[in-house]
Amino acid sequence: MYRKLRKSFEDNKHEPGAADFYYGEMEMRRHADDIPRSERMLLTSYWALSGYGLRASRAIGWLMLAMTLTVLVMMLWGLPKDGSKSLTTGTVDGRRITMTSDTPDPINPDGSLRDRLSTERFEKSLRVVINSVVFRASGQELTTVGTYSEMASRIGEPILLGFAALAIRGRVKR
């Protein structure tokens, strides 16, 4: 019933009314007993994260929360103890110079959590997270936790940004 009403409103170019019926249609699908559990879980996630692509504030709120948590994880465990200092050695043999550079693996940070919450680490973490929202690698040396956190944020945060853009587009279109 909601689908037919939505379609009727869309055909009459009444976008706000159609959006209301779309929301109702999705709610009925989410609460229906005859759809598979996996689809219900997917619809529940879509509802919780962005109100079926109609609530920009909800998507932006989740995006800000995800970015804040990622920055915190990066500051506490994701950035290495010290910036990686490459070691370059060389030998001179007559007129020939041989250079070898070695970059050590990043060292996990140690010390208290309070010491890791510095302005410098915040700035580096923020750069990593903002780059991850737009699908770019930061180029920053990261610990194992930092690498996996960046990978997760490069998947999840752009999805939330897309939900927000979808909702804003729907509002502007009306």
Side-chain angles (χ1 to χ4, degrees):
M1 181 63 104
Y2 278 98
R3 185 174 292 143
K4 289 178 184 176
L5 288 169
R6 177 180 56 87
K7 182 70 173 131
S8 173
F9 273 79
E10 285 175 350
D11 291 344
N12 291 326
K13 306 290 186 215
H14 189 272
E15 296 294 330
D20 292 339
F21 283 110
Y22 171 73
Y23 195 92
E25 174 189 349
M26 297 300 281
E27 279 292 287
M28 293 299 113
R29 283 182 58 199
R30 184 168 68 100
H31 293 294
D33 293 330
D34 61 338
I35 64 169
R37 184 181 186 128
S38 59
E39 186 176 341
R40 258 198 316 268
M41 288 175 27
L42 184 64
L43 286 170
T44 300
S45 299
Y46 190 33
W47 167 79
L49 294 175
S50 69
Y52 306 115
L54 298 172
R55 308 289 189 261
S57 59
R58 194 179 297 180
I60 291 170
W62 281 109
L63 177 62
M64 291 297 120
L65 179 66
M67 289 176 67
T68 301
L69 289 175
T70 307
V71 165
L72 198 58
V73 167
M74 287 294 175
M75 286 176 68
L76 295 175
W77 302 287
L79 295 175
K81 181 178 179 180
D82 298 320
S84 62
K85 297 175 177 70
S86 60
L87 177 64
T88 304
T89 57
T91 58
V92 177
D93 183 29
R95 296 184 69 171
R96 183 177 166 165
I97 298 175
T98 305
M99 303 290 285
T100 306
S101 293
D102 183 34
T103 304
D105 292 333
I107 300 169
N108 288 330
D110 55 6
S112 72
L113 295 180
R114 181 171 276 196
D115 292 340
R116 296 182 209 171
L117 297 174
S118 67
T119 306
E120 179 185 347
R121 290 178 69 83
F122 173 77
E123 191 267 328
K124 286 181 182 178
S125 299
L126 189 61
R127 265 191 279 133
V128 169
V129 172
I130 290 173
N131 280 329
S132 69
V133 171
V134 291
F135 290 116
R136 294 181 44 205
S138 63
Q140 171 76 39
E141 273 300 314
L142 300 172
T143 63
T144 304
V145 172
T147 300
Y148 285 115
S149 297
E150 183 186 35
M151 288 167 44
S153 70
R154 286 178 67 188
I155 293 169
E157 291 168 5
I159 290 171
L160 294 170
L161 184 63
F163 284 158
L166 177 69
I168 290 169
R169 180 187 165 273
R171 287 281 179 202
V172 171
K173 186 177 173 184
R174 294 182 213 159

